Amino acid sequence: MPLFSSSVLRPGVRKREVFGWAMYDFANSGYTTVVITAVYAAYFVGGIARSAPWAAFAWTLALSIAYAVVMLSMPAIGAWADRHAAKKRVLMLVTAGCVVATAALALTPSLAQDGGMQGVLLAMLLVVVSNTFYSYGESLTGAFLPELARPEGMGQVSGWGWGFGYVGGMLTLGLCLAYVLWAQSRGLPASHFVPVTMLVTAVVYALAACATFALLPERARPQPQRARVSPWRQLHATFVAARAQRDFMWLLACTVCYQAGVAVAIALAAIYAEQVIGFVPHETMVLIFVLNLAAAGGAFAFGYVQDRIGHRRALSITLLAWVAVCLIAAGATSKGAFWCAAAIAGLAMGSSQSAGRAMTGVLAPPAKLAEYFGLWTFATRLASIVGPLSYGAITWMTGGNQRVAILSTMLFFLAGLALLAPIDMRRGREAALAAR
């Protein structure tokens, strides 16, 4: 772990623990890369739902249901984990749930061969289940960050985790791409190779996560004095408590806006590339691979930059880059131009997500890390509902014009910039340390 000094870590934290923490980003990135972005999304629309007029809506609906479940339940789960010092135990359970549900997606192509709704409904159910468990894991692993890094080093450590995560996504996608090319060279259909990619993704997720469970300790201590309340009351109580910290609330609002735009890129990049620009499936997989490569570089490098120039300024730069991505993609008429947009999007994706997580770690009260990261998850999942559904609605209202939809996505990033302006990181950190 030579990429950062031990001085950015909290006392007693070893670099092997940070490696174990980063391995979870490595593990779960294959899920979003293969299932949500590059492979299963396009296969669901064209294979499971047979390109029906409602196919894209069904896909975004399944994702939205999962995000709604997480949005409403994660703060309560985070509070329970804080109270019992059980982040690691819960992380193990949700990881097992995501791995099993992802592997089960391999069954859906055979059940959809008769053209009935059974295969569609089963696929939607498994996407809901797998994505819900994935989102729980993403929030819980983020809550470990402030236990590992000092406030002035969170950018570096968060960036290292995001960057390493994209390496995991590229590894999983690379294995899947190799098999897809081999299967296509032998004339095998997508109904044959898509199930294998689901199994590959599940296996990589499970094996890589084992490193996390072996190396990352639970440093929190139980808090039995904290009252037990219902999930709905816990969500409300957490939100009310956070309202006293105005900088954290500005960050949540900013997160909803810019993550809505990022969610569009994650959920619909492959569909836009194939339907608007004219990519074929294996070209799309290569595109997503390169996007992940750029995202890894952005997360690694920008982690150091944000600690030097400040988290707020760093996030502002990445949001301006996202604005440029929307403009280039909306006007692209060739694959080369879209490749340019994808490269910038990759750099912006890794750096913006890393910066957002680091800012949350700085502004969250130390005694309520999982709880406040639950609110961060609430914001990101709300964004994941608003962004893709807005894109789909605009596409529908404009008669299928996805260029207008991608251009309108730029408004999310501009709104994020506006909401980022009032945040004072020093004032927010003092409020977090004073919170009880």
Side-chain angles (χ1 to χ4, degrees):
M1 298 281 291
L3 294 176
F4 54 82
S5 169
S6 296
S7 63
V8 304
L9 304 181
R10 289 193 173 276
V13 175
R14 294 173 295 179
K15 289 186 176 182
R16 59 177 292 186
E17 296 174 30
V18 180
F19 175 76
W21 173 78
M23 277 300 293
Y24 199 83
D25 279 346
F26 183 98
N28 70 2
S29 291
Y31 173 82
T32 53
T33 303
V34 176
V35 178
I36 303 301
T37 304
V39 179
Y40 199 79
Y43 182 74
F44 177 90
V45 172
I48 301 292
R50 300 181 182 274
S51 299
W54 44 264
F57 176 76
W59 174 252
T60 56
L61 178 63
L63 296 179
S64 297
I65 291 172
Y67 297 140
V69 170
V70 174
M71 187 175 67
L72 296 174
S73 60
M74 189 61 226
I77 293 174
W80 187 92
D82 280 335
R83 186 168 61 245
H84 296 277
K87 295 192 299 296
K88 186 174 178 179
R89 279 185 286 159
V90 179
L91 183 62
M92 294 174 71
L93 289 174
V94 301
T95 299
C98 186
V99 167
V100 171
T102 301
L105 285 171
L107 302 174
T108 56
S110 61
L111 295 176
Q113 288 180 352
D114 59 1
M117 287 297 296
Q118 180 181 2
V120 174
L121 294 176
L122 177 61
M124 291 180 67
L125 174 62
L126 290 174
V127 168
V128 169
V129 173
S130 63
N131 202 25
T132 297
F133 283 129
Y134 161 81
S135 300
Y136 286 151
E138 182 183 41
S139 178
L140 288 164
T141 192
F144 281 95
L145 175 60
E147 296 178 355
L148 300 173
R150 298 178 186 269
E152 63 273 16
M154 285 190 193
Q156 293 181 43
V157 178
S158 179
W160 204 93
W162 276 114
F164 203 50
Y166 285 115
V167 172
M170 287 187 290
L171 171 65
T172 307
L173 182 60
L175 293 172
C176 293
L177 177 59
Y179 184 80
V180 168
L181 292 175
W182 177 87
Q184 288 181 331
S185 69
R186 284 155 178 76
L188 297 174
S191 59
H192 172 85
F193 59 73
V194 167
V196 175
T197 65
M198 297 299 101
L199 295 176
V200 169
T201 302
V203 169
V204 173
Y205 196 158
L207 293 178
C210 287
T212 299
F213 304 141
L215 299 175
L216 181 64
E218 177 71 70
R219 291 184 169 273
R221 293 293 180 265
Q223 304 175 47
Q225 72 279 7
R226 295 184 63 175
R228 299 183 181 183
V229 297
S230 70
W232 290 96
R233 287 185 179 180
Q234 182 63 61
L235 176 62
H236 180 263
T238 304
F239 185 78
V240 169
R243 288 177 61 185
Q245 297 167 246
R246 55 177 173 173
D247 295 294
F248 183 83
M249 294 303 294
W250 279 115
L251 176 60
L252 285 185
C254 172
T255 298
V256 171
C257 289
Y258 85 81
Q259 286 283 12
V262 174
V264 170
I266 293 173
L268 296 156
I271 296 172
Y272 189 91
E274 293 184 12
Q275 295 187 357
V276 179
I277 307 300
F279 280 66
V280 295
H282 73 270
E283 289 179 321
T284 302
M285 294 180 73
V286 173
L287 175 76
I288 301 302
F289 184 91
V290 174
L291 189 149
N292 274 265
L293 182 63
F300 271 128
F302 221 70
Y304 297 89
V305 173
Q306 63 179 291
D307 284 334
R308 290 179 177 273
I309 69 174
H311 300 294
R312 188 176 66 123
R313 184 178 298 174
L315 184 56
S316 298
I317 294 172
T318 67
L319 296 187
L320 289 172
W322 274 116
V323 171
V325 168
C326 294
L327 290 172
I328 296 171
T333 56
S334 66
K335 293 180 180 179
F338 192 74
W339 269 102
C340 178
I344 299 174
L347 292 170
M349 184 178 297
S351 52
S352 62
Q353 290 179 312
S354 173
R357 182 166 66 178
M359 289 180 71
T360 303
V362 171
L363 299 179
K368 299 180 179 180
L369 293 178
E371 189 174 343
Y372 272 62
F373 266 94
L375 278 181
W376 175 69
T377 299
F378 181 100
T380 58
R381 293 309 168 245
L382 176 60
S384 297
I385 295 172
V386 172
L389 285 183
S390 298
Y391 183 97
I394 293 172
T395 300
W396 178 40
M397 289 187 294
T398 57
N401 192 333
Q402 294 193 52
R403 294 186 184 276
V404 174
I406 200 68
L407 189 62
S408 67
T409 301
M410 179 179 65
L411 298 177
F412 287 121
F413 298 114
L414 292 175
L417 277 168
L419 292 168
L420 189 62
I423 297 176
D424 185 319
M425 294 299 295
R426 179 176 297 179
R427 179 183 62 200
R429 180 59 181 173
E430 292 174 353
L433 293 174
R436 294 291 184 267

